[in-house]
Amino acid sequence: MTTAPTDHLHAMPGPQRRNFGLFLTSQVASQSGTWLQFVALAWLAAELTSSAATLGWVAVATFGPLLVLGPWTGTLADRVDKHRLLIASQILVVGQAVALGVLVLTGATTVAAVYWLTLVYGVIHAVETPVRRAFVAELVDEERIPHAVSLTSVIAAIGRVLGPLFAGALIAWTGIGWCFIANAVSYLIALAVLLPVHRGALHITVASREAGAVRAGLRYAWSVPELRIALLLTGVVATFGFNHQVLIPMLAHHTFSGGAGTYTLLYAAISAGSVLGALSVARRREIDLRFLAHAIIAFALANGLLAISPNLVLAVIAGFATGAAALLFVTAATTLLQQRCAPAMRGRVMALSAMVLLGAVPIGAPLIGWIADFAGTRTAVATGSVGALLAGTVVLRHLKSHNPNPMPCARVLLAPA
């Protein structure tokens, strides 16, 4: 039996429902602005250099700090007040977006300046991401965490749809610079919504400040089989398969000989599919490692269709399926990690999750960009499919050989209706 995800939201106590509703509203604004900026930044880099490798290095500046700093920012998220740190980090994002917008609007844009301001965002993002992910568990009761994660993923997926659409419209009508100003406005809206959260209804958890907290988090994540396999699986697929911020501009530019409209259409198709993928997880009663492996294989097949699509229409259809499978996996993996980790370790585990999901981009993006430059964009897209297919197959074989009759403890049971 499945239940509508909003049924669990309505069943929450009043203060919790209000807090979670405020958080979801803030996420609609901030996630839309974030994806608007990602799209605009990728298009700006493509205009400046017309090189997939350059797009790859922009991705390094965006996500590299998370890869390097993740264990420490995750520990910070466990040790401080998450609500207040989330507000502070979003204020910093406003400043970065305004600076980037002014740079473009005044005609002072250089590749070096774009790299440096993107790196500033990357550092802020390294702090904000584990805090935001762990904060979800403080908004609701323990048994509602899976559904809260799913609903948050749905909102993030909606942001992936709205952001590229807004970016395409602003680029066409006003220019790239106003995209960054719009992102700043979106974060101001998110801040205004987050400030009135009722702190008395939060399940605030703050870990002790013992020495070796970073190492303890790494040891803990490795010691729990479900966490270890989910993180490894995410890292492999994110490195080779989740590089659309590099490949979609190249598909639009070179493969289909299009402009900003083609780019926006392809990105919006992937983003719209992601909404369906996140909703699919929100309606499930159980998630296990086998489900994650099947989701990744589905991504490999859909992404493979995107690689061989002979025209834009089929590419849009394949992009929709790719987005659905990708977010199906990401949402399921995040749900499993949230539910299986100890509350005092949640910030560190969520930081590791963000590291392998987003921090893998600095590793995979330059490699995929190099493949696109020298072997063609279709080959680079297909490389992601091969990596995803291999990862999913290995996990299925592992599960079959080590546990041919899975026990209930290997599953994450979602809250009953």
Side-chain angles (χ1 to χ4, degrees):
M1 177 181 177
T2 60
T3 59
T6 51
D7 291 345
H8 298 272
L9 176 59
H10 292 311
M12 292 179 187
Q16 277 190 16
R17 184 170 63 250
R18 178 179 178 274
N19 280 353
F20 191 61
L22 289 172
F23 177 74
L24 291 182
T25 302
S26 75
Q27 288 300 290
V28 170
S30 63
Q31 290 293 321
S32 297
T34 294
W35 283 99
L36 187 156
Q37 176 157 308
F38 283 171
V39 170
L41 191 61
W43 194 253
L44 176 63
E47 282 193 344
L48 289 173
T49 66
S50 298
S51 168
T54 298
L55 288 171
W57 287 113
V58 169
V60 170
T62 302
F63 301 111
L66 180 61
L67 180 63
V68 176
L69 302 174
W72 288 270
T73 58
T75 301
L76 179 67
D78 281 333
R79 287 178 169 179
V80 303
D81 187 305
K82 298 175 183 61
H83 179 225
R84 288 172 178 161
L85 185 56
L86 184 60
I87 289 173
S89 63
Q90 292 191 337
I91 292 172
L92 294 176
V93 171
V94 172
Q96 184 272 346
V98 169
L100 190 53
V102 170
L103 183 76
V104 177
L105 290 173
T106 57
T109 311
T110 65
V111 174
V114 170
Y115 279 150
W116 279 110
L117 279 173
T118 304
L119 184 62
V120 169
Y121 171 81
V123 173
I124 301 169
H125 184 252
V127 175
E128 188 265 352
T129 298
V131 173
R132 171 170 42 83
R133 292 187 171 205
F135 184 57
V136 174
E138 294 192 351
L139 290 164
V140 299
D141 295 330
E142 184 74 22
E143 68 272 12
R144 302 189 194 279
I145 289 175
H147 295 283
V149 171
S150 297
L151 282 169
T152 303
S153 297
V154 170
I155 293 300
I158 291 173
R160 289 171 63 101
V161 176
L162 297 178
L165 290 176
F166 291 152
L170 286 173
I171 291 172
W173 295 340
T174 64
I176 295 176
W178 287 105
C179 292
F180 305 116
I181 302 301
N183 181 39
V185 172
S186 75
Y187 269 86
L188 286 173
I189 295 172
L191 280 168
V193 174
L194 272 181
L195 286 172
V197 163
H198 179 48
R199 294 177 54 80
L202 297 175
H203 298 287
I204 297 176
T205 57
V206 178
S208 60
R209 297 178 179 268
E210 76 280 1
V214 172
R215 292 191 300 274
L218 293 172
R219 286 196 301 268
Y220 171 76
W222 189 259
S223 68
V224 180
E226 293 95 334
L227 303 185
R228 180 176 68 248
I229 295 174
L231 288 169
L232 288 173
L233 198 58
T234 302
V236 171
V237 178
T239 300
F240 298 103
F242 293 172
N243 289 289
H244 295 117
Q245 74 282 355
V246 174
L247 296 175
I248 295 303
M250 294 298 104
L251 280 173
H253 257 307
H254 303 309
T255 305
F256 299 113
S257 302
T262 301
Y263 171 48
T264 303
L265 181 62
L266 285 170
Y267 225 117
I270 293 175
S271 302
S274 69
V275 176
L276 177 63
L279 281 170
S280 298
V281 175
R283 298 182 64 87
R284 287 187 61 85
R285 286 179 60 86
E286 66 179 39
I287 294 171
D288 57 16
L289 293 174
R290 196 174 303 275
F291 179 80
L292 295 187
H294 287 150
I296 279 183
I297 291 173
F299 168 79
L301 297 176
N303 197 61
L305 290 176
L306 179 61
I308 63 174
S309 295
N311 55 58
L312 182 59
V313 173
L314 291 179
V316 168
I317 296 172
F320 181 89
T322 298
L327 259 290
L328 182 69
F329 167 75
V330 170
T331 306
T334 304
T335 299
L336 188 150
L337 293 169
Q338 284 269 27
Q339 189 74 357
R340 290 295 296 158
C341 71
M345 291 286 184
R346 192 162 277 132
R348 279 164 280 188
V349 171
M350 288 299 98
L352 290 173
S353 173
M355 282 176 62
V356 296
L357 179 62
L358 302 175
V361 174
I363 299 173
L367 174 62
I368 294 299
W370 179 85
I371 293 173
D373 281 341
F374 287 92
T377 305
R378 292 186 185 276
T379 301
V381 176
T383 300
S385 291
V386 172
L389 184 61
L390 288 174
T393 302
V394 167
V395 170
L396 287 178
R397 290 177 64 86
H398 170 81
L399 294 175
K400 183 177 180 180
S401 62
H402 286 76
N403 194 12
N405 298 302
M407 298 295 290
C409 62
R411 298 190 179 103
V412 177
L413 298 180
L414 303 194

